[in-house]
Amino acid sequence: MTAMDDGLADPTGAGAAAPTLHDVAREAGVSVATASRALNGSSRNVRAENVTRVREAAARLGYQPHLSAQAIAKGSTRTVALVVRDVADPYFSSIAAGVTQAAEAAGLIVTMAVAGDSPERELQIVRTLRGRRPRVIIVTGSRIDGAGTREALIDELREYRTAGGRVVLISQRDLPFGTVTIDDHGGSAALARALLGAGYRRFAVFHAPPALRTSRDRHEGFLSGLAGADVPEPLAVETGFTRTGGYEAARRLVERGFEDVEAVFAVNDVMAIGAMTAFRDAGVIPGRDIGVAGFDDIASTRDVVPALTTVAVPLHEAGLSAMRLALSDGEPLPTALPATVVLRASTPPRPHHDLKVMRGVTAMGHDHLPWTSRH
Amino acid sequence: MTAMDDGLADPTGAGAAAPTLHDVAREAGVSVATASRALNGSSRNVRAENVTRVREAAARLGYQPHLSAQAIAKGSTRTVALVVRDVADPYFSSIAAGVTQAAEAAGLIVTMAVAGDSPERELQIVRTLRGRRPRVIIVTGSRIDGAGTREALIDELREYRTAGGRVVLISQRDLPFGTVTIDDHGGSAALARALLGAGYRRFAVFHAPPALRTSRDRHEGFLSGLAGADVPEPLAVETGFTRTGGYEAARRLVERGFEDVEAVFAVNDVMAIGAMTAFRDAGVIPGRDIGVAGFDDIASTRDVVPALTTVAVPLHEAGLSAMRLALSDGEPLPTALPATVVLRASTPPRPHHDLKVMRGVTAMGHDHLPWTSRH
DNA sequence: TTGTAGGCGTTATCAG
DNA sequence: CTGATAACGCCTACAA
């Protein structure tokens, strides 16, 4: 018999097993049932002395209830599963913060999964998540048309719901589930009108591939806001949905020559901010030589120079609404969040144009002019 | 007998229960054991015909294995639990992205929990997390001295580790666990030397309450980098660890008068960026009227004007390292990540001073000068 | 108030 | 290769 066999060494390397309720019960000198009741159940019907005895035993052993076992025994969990495309993107992290806050208030724990750009991975993640039997699954991020996973995703979520789960989608309309949408179309249209009102006439739009629903909605919304005004067709520049995408698009625009463009609308703020930096790098001063506007109103819009004109969407609120929707009884009605135009210094007024649209365009460069989008 | 009783209606509102392995087995006409093997076990030893039969049955029923049940039966999970203070902070979301990437490569799923500013909540979260029996727990964020939860947290993590779990901390030294640290002290010292080299002599430091370890380390590091140089004691301004904190500190500094300050070191980038905006709002131009430097090198540093001088820390890499540490066998050695000074336009050289320190300070305003911190 | 026993969905062991 | 059956850790009637 060697030293390895005497029980002191731990050949498996796994360490001592975590103490179970049985251990606690034995340590406290009561039955498992009593221990269970004392720790997690309605401790009404257990003698006070035993309660403390059990609590002390649990503390002494460092006992933590095995949540999986509880989940199995009780048939339900207290978790919310959140699927995002990218944690590092302020758009998603703001939503996540809202979801987390609301979940916490409801005594639920949020677990977050990152899908990346791949719809296949998103589908796979939803599948896996389903296995954890969360109370709620929230999926955020634009649907991508033609990815071929749409039906499969719907099936997966539908089955989950049939089994008693709550599904809420953020920023994905047209799917048969509770939905929190952002008024991409209306917000962009309102922005277009506001820019017309500020004297801009000739635009470029930096957009992502139209398969990306959010990008397309914002692009189309912008065009529809221009409709009726006597302006040339905006120049459309397709690029990535990221800061780098915006940077590249701006670089290309400068190379091409931008004499026919007075202002750029980038379909999100990180693109717009990347574009501003690219313009600056090329010696083109945003706000003076060219107007720039974005969408989302992320925190950085106030720290760049000039401050970025954008469309504010209540991201944090979207997270809260999603949880509210998930927890509400009855058929969840789609919630639409308003988008608000915020004119800042990146699109100063151009008074040398005839203003035949809009009135009251005065305090440019100030925050929160009340151009709420319709709807 | 009413319509409510015929089984079509669902009085509980819970919907149909999720199909179990039993259902699949029955549907496929095999035993549960075979079904289990066909779906999740080593399917080597099950007839091909039965495998397809089971697979089809599972698909038909929309079956998803109950992960909690698997966890219980197998005695282990494939998840990594990550604790952060704030998802919306780019510092944490970069780390989270790194952790997620590495975990995914190892076939693990990351669940993220948000602790907020409260150490008590952090402790409570670690407790709850422990109940889920993850393979790994990663805790990020600066320790807060004097919070009183330190010992309790250590106990909790120690017990978790004893039960076979892996613990890794990011950015918290002096705790008896695997640790990935950022060289806060050395990076700040290197920054101080670089600024001296650029001709700056009189500084202010915007820092958070010293109980916040990260803030204190960076502050002290900066002072130690100044040691030996013939410069006045930097003005210390205490404020919040956030953008707003930086904004406020700058506002106060301007109010007080900043004739005796040539450059400000804010202990993180969001503070520095907030400060730049405050300066600008007060008519003080950063980079011209006053130098500004931060710490972390978050993405926005390149988009603000002037671009922000900072100390780059490989946040994404920190996440990767943490997972590597967690998955490695044997005693996990502390990993220290280097911090690199990056001089940009927010601290242009001041050639009118005597340069008695540093050489080679040439290409100011360019990225990635190789001022790696010692250590 | 307490203990006994059965069950939750899955895997693993051990005969067939 | 397959099928009973005993775990896994916990909860909860039911009975004492």
Side-chain angles (χ1 to χ4, degrees):
Chain A
M1 193 182 243
T2 74
M4 292 300 284
D5 299 321
D6 65 10
L8 283 176
D10 177 18
T12 73
T20 74
L21 195 55
H22 280 86
D23 302 326
V24 176
R26 185 171 348 106
E27 174 88 5
V30 299
S31 74
V32 262
T34 303
S36 173
R37 288 188 273 252
L39 291 176
N40 312 307
S42 46
S43 59
R44 297 285 172 220
N45 352 327
V46 42
R47 211 195 320 166
E49 183 197 325
N50 275 341
V51 172
T52 54
R53 202 203 297 282
V54 170
R55 290 246 169 87
E56 282 169 9
R60 211 174 313 132
L61 266 40
Y63 168 78
Q64 272 304 119
H66 195 305
L67 261 34
S68 287
Q70 288 191 161
I72 266 198
K74 299 215 261 227
S76 77
T77 63
R78 299 196 63 76
T79 71
V80 175
L82 175 66
V83 184
V84 301
R85 201 170 34 202
D86 177 10
V87 243
D89 186 321
Y91 180 89
F92 292 108
S93 52
S94 297
I95 292 177
V99 168
T100 304
Q101 182 186 323
E104 193 172 307
L108 301 175
I109 288 199
V110 178
T111 77
M112 219 163 121
V114 182
D117 288 325
S118 148
E120 287 76 23
R121 173 138 185 81
E122 181 184 57
L123 174 60
Q124 189 220 327
I125 283 188
V126 169
R127 266 202 247 274
T128 312
L129 248 31
R130 204 146 84 74
R132 324 190 88 174
R133 304 291 191 273
R135 274 264 229 292
V136 177
I137 293 183
I138 299 178
V139 183
T140 75
S142 176
R143 199 95 311 284
I144 298 179
D145 292 349
T149 74
R150 187 190 139 96
E151 295 310 320
L153 184 66
I154 292 181
D155 281 354
E156 204 69 34
L157 291 173
R158 209 197 297 275
E159 277 161 2
Y160 167 70
R161 185 173 54 186
T162 304
R166 308 303 200 103
V167 176
V168 176
L169 306 179
I170 297 182
S171 178
Q172 326 197 136
R173 61 198 81 235
D174 303 339
L175 261 52
F177 301 99
T179 308
V180 176
T181 55
I182 309 266
D183 189 9
D184 289 317
H185 192 277
S188 301
L191 175 65
R193 292 193 297 274
L195 292 178
L196 286 174
Y200 292 88
R201 289 292 174 273
R202 301 182 298 173
F203 300 97
V205 178
F206 292 177
H207 65 93
L212 201 64
R213 188 60 188 265
T214 302
S215 173
R216 199 179 69 216
D217 286 350
R218 293 178 180 179
H219 188 179
E220 290 175 359
F222 192 80
L223 298 184
S224 85
L226 256 29
D230 181 24
V231 301
E233 173 87 356
L235 174 70
V237 182
E238 181 170 324
T239 184
F241 204 52
T242 61
R243 175 191 180 276
T244 309
Y247 190 98
E248 279 308 308
R251 205 181 47 69
R252 273 150 54 198
L253 179 60
V254 173
E255 265 178 16
R256 161 196 177 278
F258 63 100
E259 304 73 22
D260 55 337
V261 175
E262 296 166 355
V264 165
F265 168 50
V267 294
N268 72 34
D269 283 344
V270 293
M271 288 172 71
I273 289 174
M276 295 217 310
T277 300
F279 282 133
R280 224 182 300 111
D281 287 353
V284 178
I285 307 298
R288 189 194 71 183
D289 304 332
I290 194 166
V292 179
F295 202 114
D296 286 341
D297 198 30
I298 63 176
S300 312
T301 52
R302 290 162 202 80
D303 292 317
V304 290
V305 180
L308 182 65
T309 286
T310 188
V311 181
V313 296
L315 261 12
H316 190 94
E317 171 66 23
L320 297 178
S321 296
M323 274 306 296
R324 210 176 297 132
L325 215 55
L327 266 26
S328 73
D329 302 324
E331 206 49 31
L333 296 177
T335 302
L337 261 24
T340 312
V341 173
V342 182
L343 291 178
R344 297 205 181 95
S346 68
T347 58
R350 297 172 59 97
H352 49 286
H353 264 287
D354 270 272
L355 301 187
K356 68 177 171 187
V357 215
M358 306 297 284
R359 290 285 190 145
V361 181
T362 50
M364 286 302 132
H366 288 72
D367 260 3
H368 296 296
L369 292 192
W371 256 302
T372 302
S373 63
R374 321 170 273 194
H375 183 111
Chain B
M1 193 184 244
T2 74
M4 290 300 282
D5 299 321
D6 64 10
L8 283 177
D10 177 19
T12 72
T20 73
L21 197 54
H22 280 87
D23 303 324
V24 176
R26 185 171 350 103
E27 174 88 5
V30 298
S31 73
V32 259
T34 302
S36 172
R37 287 188 274 249
L39 291 176
N40 312 306
S42 45
S43 57
R44 297 283 171 222
N45 351 329
V46 43
R47 212 193 322 165
E49 184 197 325
N50 273 341
V51 172
T52 55
R53 201 203 296 285
V54 170
R55 291 244 168 86
E56 281 169 10
R60 209 174 312 133
L61 265 41
Y63 166 79
Q64 271 307 117
H66 196 307
L67 261 35
S68 287
Q70 287 191 164
I72 262 198
K74 298 214 258 224
S76 77
T77 63
R78 299 197 61 78
T79 70
V80 174
L82 175 65
V83 184
V84 301
R85 200 166 40 203
D86 177 10
V87 241
D89 184 323
Y91 180 89
F92 292 107
S93 50
S94 297
I95 291 177
V99 169
T100 304
Q101 183 188 321
E104 193 173 305
L108 301 174
I109 289 198
V110 177
T111 77
M112 217 163 122
V114 182
D117 288 324
S118 148
E120 287 77 23
R121 174 136 184 82
E122 182 185 56
L123 175 60
Q124 190 221 326
I125 283 188
V126 169
R127 267 201 248 275
T128 312
L129 248 31
R130 205 146 84 73
R132 319 187 118 211
R133 304 292 191 272
R135 272 265 228 292
V136 177
I137 294 183
I138 299 178
V139 183
T140 74
S142 176
R143 202 92 310 285
I144 299 178
D145 292 349
T149 72
R150 186 190 140 96
E151 295 309 319
L153 183 65
I154 290 181
D155 282 354
E156 205 68 34
L157 291 174
R158 209 196 297 273
E159 277 160 2
Y160 167 71
R161 186 174 51 184
T162 303
R166 308 302 199 103
V167 176
V168 175
L169 307 179
I170 297 181
S171 180
Q172 324 196 138
R173 62 197 81 234
D174 302 340
L175 259 51
F177 300 100
T179 309
V180 176
T181 56
I182 309 270
D183 189 7
D184 290 316
H185 192 278
S188 301
L191 175 65
R193 291 193 297 273
L195 292 178
L196 286 174
Y200 291 88
R201 290 290 175 275
R202 300 182 299 173
F203 300 97
V205 178
F206 293 177
H207 65 92
L212 201 64
R213 188 60 189 265
T214 303
S215 174
R216 199 179 68 214
D217 286 349
R218 293 178 180 180
H219 188 177
E220 291 175 358
F222 191 81
L223 297 184
S224 85
L226 256 29
D230 182 24
V231 301
E233 174 88 354
L235 174 70
V237 182
E238 182 170 325
T239 184
F241 204 53
T242 60
R243 174 190 182 278
T244 310
Y247 191 98
E248 280 307 309
R251 205 182 45 68
R252 274 150 55 199
L253 180 60
V254 172
E255 265 178 15
R256 162 194 176 278
F258 64 100
E259 304 74 20
D260 54 339
V261 175
E262 296 165 354
V264 166
F265 167 50
V267 294
N268 72 35
D269 283 344
V270 293
M271 289 173 71
I273 289 175
M276 295 217 312
T277 300
F279 282 133
R280 224 181 300 113
D281 288 354
V284 179
I285 307 299
R288 189 194 69 182
D289 303 333
I290 193 166
V292 180
F295 201 114
D296 286 341
D297 197 30
I298 63 176
S300 311
T301 52
R302 291 162 200 81
D303 292 315
V304 291
V305 180
L308 181 66
T309 287
T310 188
V311 181
V313 296
L315 261 13
H316 190 94
E317 170 67 23
L320 297 179
S321 296
M323 275 305 299
R324 211 174 298 134
L325 215 54
L327 265 27
S328 72
D329 303 322
E331 205 49 31
L333 296 177
T335 302
L337 261 24
T340 311
V341 173
V342 181
L343 293 178
R344 298 203 183 96
S346 68
T347 57
R350 296 172 60 95
H352 48 286
H353 263 288
D354 269 90
L355 300 187
K356 69 176 171 190
V357 213
M358 305 301 282
R359 290 286 188 142
V361 182
T362 50
M364 286 302 131
H366 288 71
D367 259 2
H368 297 295
L369 292 191
W371 256 304
T372 304
S373 64
R374 327 171 267 196
H375 183 120

